[in-house]
Amino acid sequence: MTNFISGGCSFTYGSELSDDDRGKNFSKKTWAYELFKETYPADNFICTAKPGAGNSAIARRTFNAVANMKDVTGVVVMWSFNSRY
């Protein structure tokens, strides 16, 4: 099984999109999920994004996912503002 990993903040997680279930699950209407569906031949979508995350948290969560997964087909990251901690 191949894996596609996305990292970022609420824009990648999909907060406030129409399929948002009060933050319980990531949205399937985000740019990252659409990219996964349309262009990458992967079986599994892993969203490491977290609303409000700063760049250090985004990097740490994404690196941890990559290090703990086998058969990673693609990794995409949307960085936050420079001033967000």
Side-chain angles (χ1 to χ4, degrees), residues 28-76:
K28 292 186 176 179
K29 294 185 176 184
T30 63
W31 66 272
Y33 194 81
E34 289 295 323
L35 185 65
F36 156 70
K37 281 192 334 186
E38 297 296 326
T39 61
Y40 281 90
D43 300 312
N44 195 27
F45 179 80
I46 294 121
C47 181
T48 64
K50 182 176 180 185
N55 288 330
S56 60
I58 292 168
R60 183 174 50 255
R61 293 171 65 87
T62 306
F63 290 151
N64 286 340
V66 170
N68 292 312
M69 289 283 159
K70 293 183 179 180
D71 300 320
V72 176
T73 299
V75 178
V76 294

Side-chain angles (χ1 to χ4, degrees), residues 11-30:
F11 292 107
T12 304
Y13 190 79
S15 297
E16 300 184 21
L17 292 178
S18 63
D19 63 341
D20 180 18
D21 186 20
R22 296 182 204 145
K24 293 178 185 173
N25 297 305
F26 66 86
S27 171
K28 292 186 176 179
K29 294 185 176 184
T30 63

